[in-house]
Amino acid sequence: SYVAKVTVIAPEKVFTYDNIDFTDSHSSKVLGNTSDASCKITDKGMLCTSATGHDPIIYLNYIAGSIDTANYKSLTITYKLEPGVSQTRGQMFFITDAAPAPAESAAQKYYMVADGEWHTARIPLPAKYWSGTVHQLRLDFFNDCERGDEFHLKSIVLTN
């Protein structure tokens, strides 16, 4: 008689840039530079903390040519803020072929609820600046806040 040993190697999960799930450790591949912020990926999402209380920023990098802006009209972020954070307004900047550098005129502000529960905010994508391909998103998770304020991010999903 013979004994056969078989090892099955599962393929790596396919990572999609139009539906970033921050509960998945593979999402760390989109994390770019930060300013006035620290971020870490956990099994509950990405925890972002304001380091100085000024204007914490996270850049999310996209593979060149991976996202065609024509296919998407808005994005959603699923987030959680604990009660007592000093700020509930964030801002998203879009770095695309039409807007190659972050510009206040091309950014979208959004408001959040601070009650310790998960919420989803829809952010419209400005047609004037949302064209070509996506290079980066710049997430200012708070506009001026206090040092130590935390922002929990579960996902960013591009929608049509």
Side-chain angles (χ1 to χ4, degrees), residues 18-157:
D18 60 352
N19 185 352
I20 302 171
D21 175 5
F22 288 100
T23 65
D24 179 351
S25 63
H26 290 94
S27 65
S28 64
K29 65 176 65 178
V30 301
L31 292 180
N33 293 334
T34 62
S35 176
D36 297 322
S38 65
C39 299
K40 69 177 180 178
I41 304 287
T42 73
D43 61 348
K44 294 180 178 138
M46 181 167 57
L47 173 61
C48 305
T49 305
S50 171
T52 64
H54 176 58
D55 188 13
I57 294 169
I58 308 163
Y59 280 94
L60 304 171
N61 299 322
Y62 284 73
I63 293 176
S66 66
I67 297 291
D68 182 353
T69 58
N71 297 324
Y72 306 98
K73 303 296 180 224
S74 65
L75 66 78
T76 60
I77 61 167
T78 300
Y79 70 90
K80 178 172 68 169
L81 298 180
E82 297 299 333
V85 295
S86 66
Q87 181 63 256
T88 58
R89 184 179 73 176
Q91 192 168 6
M92 184 75 74
F93 292 79
F94 311 99
I95 296 91
T96 65
D97 292 340
E104 192 74 30
S105 61
Q108 294 287 76
K109 291 181 173 77
Y110 58 93
Y111 293 88
M112 299 173 284
V113 177
D115 63 1
E117 301 293 326
W118 289 102
H119 296 277
T120 299
R122 183 183 166 278
I123 303 169
L125 301 171
K128 181 176 180 181
Y129 303 104
W130 185 255
S131 67
T133 58
V134 179
H135 302 282
Q136 287 182 313
L137 296 178
R138 182 180 123 180
L139 174 62
D140 293 20
F141 56 92
F142 294 122
N143 281 21
D144 292 317
C145 62
E146 293 181 11
R147 183 179 187 189
D149 278 353
E150 293 181 342
F151 171 81
H152 302 263
L153 182 62
K154 189 179 278 186
S155 65
I156 295 179
V157 179

